[in-house]
Amino acid sequence: MTSLRLVAIDDPIASPLATRVPANAKASTKVLVVEEKGRWTELLAVQSLEWDTRMLGLKTGRITEVVARDDRWLPKYEGIADHLKALDLEYVTVRRPISEWNRLRAMEAAGFRLVDGILSFTKKIEGSAAVSKGTRLAKADDIDAIAD
C-alpha cells in the first residue's frame, strides 16, 4: 500500500533530496515522502512560490525536485491533493523530462494535467539566420538573466 506524508526539508529522511534544493529556497520547501510497505520510494520537494501567488491570486507551488529510490518503481500519488492542500496550496505545477513517462502518467492519474511539451532541437545548427531590426541573438552571457 502506498502512503504519503509531509516532512521538513531538514528531516533525516529528506537528506537525499535536501542537497538539490538551493539554500535560498529551503525555507519555502517541504518534502512529500511517498512510501510503499513502510519504506520511502520517492521524495518530492514542494516549494511555495510567493511571486506567482501574488500574480495569479492563487496560493501557488511547484514540485521542484524528485528523487526516486528505484526508477523502475511505478509511482503512485493517491491522496497527493490532500497533502498539497495541507500546505495551503491551490495551484501546483511540476516539470519532468519525458523520459519519466511512468511518473507523468501517475501524476495525471492523481489529478495533474499535462499542459505542454517542450521539444529540444538536437542537431547542429549551422550558418546564420536573418535577424529582424530591434532583435539581437542571445549570447552565453544571457543565460543567467533568462534562467529563471
Side-chain angles (χ1 to χ4, degrees):
M1 179 177 160
T2 302
S3 64
L4 289 90
R5 65 185 171 106
L6 288 165
V7 299
I9 192 75
D10 58 356
D11 188 293
I13 199 168
S15 63
L17 182 85
T19 57
R20 296 180 176 202
V21 176
N24 63 347
K26 288 191 177 189
S28 61
T29 300
K30 295 286 185 207
V31 176
L32 186 59
V33 180
V34 182
E35 295 174 310
E36 185 89 19
K37 298 177 183 172
R39 180 180 155 195
W40 76 266
T41 54
E42 269 192 3
L43 303 172
L44 292 85
V46 183
Q47 182 182 10
S48 298
L49 303 172
E50 292 180 30
W51 184 88
D52 299 68
T53 295
R54 284 192 310 275
M55 293 297 115
L56 295 174
L58 295 169
K59 293 182 180 175
T60 304
R62 179 183 311 135
I63 296 175
T64 58
E65 293 288 340
V66 177
V67 171
R69 186 184 291 268
D70 181 353
D71 283 333
R72 294 171 295 171
W73 174 75
L74 182 62
K76 296 176 186 155
Y77 302 109
E78 295 100 9
I80 194 170
D82 294 332
H83 292 282
L84 297 173
K85 284 179 190 173
L87 292 173
D88 202 25
L89 296 173
E90 300 170 281
Y91 182 77
V92 178
T93 61
V94 60
R95 179 168 280 181
R96 303 304 311 155
I98 198 70
S99 61
E100 294 181 7
W101 193 249
N102 285 342
R103 183 171 291 113
L104 293 169
R105 287 294 176 220
M107 288 182 164
E108 281 185 307
F112 284 87
R113 184 174 56 138
L114 189 60
V115 175
D116 63 7
I118 297 174
L119 300 174
S120 298
F121 193 75
T122 59
K123 294 183 178 183
K124 184 175 181 179
I125 301 172
E126 296 186 29
S128 61
V131 178
S132 62
K133 190 174 183 177
T135 303
R136 74 171 177 82
L137 295 176
K139 298 181 234 167
D141 297 346
D142 297 322
I143 290 173
D144 289 337
I146 62 173
D148 293 322

